């Protein structure tokens, strides 16, 4: 993501974050949420940002990163319409219902 030793490629970073998030990495979920919130390497999408911040906040250990994910989720939620918020919560429920990864 930062381009340490290689050219910076936000799109490639987002792809790797998604792969790791799909394997239940809370840190990757948080990074993917940040990417969606900022439109960094992916199209800006507050619904996806909310989904990934929610899942990250559930899985991250207590501490600064979890608090940041929770705060970011709250900030993104304020941008969502009621229909978008319901869509994001549906995506969260669908993720939780998937078999263990």
């Amino acid at each position: 993501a930062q381009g340490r030793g290689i050219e910076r490629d936000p799109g490639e970073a987002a792809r790797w974050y998604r792969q790791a998030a799909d394997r239940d990495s809370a840190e990757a979920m948080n990074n993917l949420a940040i990417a969606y919130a900022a439109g960094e390497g992916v199209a800006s999408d507050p619904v996806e940002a909310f989904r990934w911040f929610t899942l990250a906040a559930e899985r991250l250990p207590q501490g600064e990163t979890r608090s940041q994910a929770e705060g970011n989720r709250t900030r993104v939620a304020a941008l969502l319409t009621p229909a978008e918020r319901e869509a994001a919560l549906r995506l969260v429920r669908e993720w939780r219902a998937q078999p263990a990864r």
Side-chain angles (χ1 to χ4, degrees):
Q2 302 304 316
R4 295 184 189 128
I6 59 171
E7 186 176 329
R8 188 174 181 285
D9 187 340
E12 187 68 9
R15 188 177 74 77
W16 283 104
Y17 292 149
R18 180 57 193 255
Q19 285 185 25
D22 285 341
R23 289 172 176 77
D24 214 25
S25 167
E27 293 83 5
M29 290 175 183
N30 191 54
N31 289 336
L32 187 58
I34 291 167
Y36 276 114
E40 187 77 19
V42 293
S44 179
D45 188 334
V47 170
E48 285 294 322
F50 182 88
R51 169 174 60 156
W52 293 111
F53 279 132
T54 298
L55 292 166
E58 292 173 358
R59 289 163 173 74
L60 287 165
Q62 291 292 333
E64 183 178 347
T65 304
R66 181 178 185 157
S67 294
Q68 289 171 348
E70 291 168 342
N72 287 333
R73 178 185 57 202
T74 299
R75 281 186 282 288
V76 169
L79 303 174
L80 299 177
T81 66
E84 288 172 327
R85 184 176 173 88
E86 183 51 42
L89 291 172
R90 187 182 72 254
L91 291 170
V92 168
R93 288 189 299 272
E94 289 171 1
W95 177 269
R96 289 177 186 148
Q98 292 178 6
R101 291 165 263 305

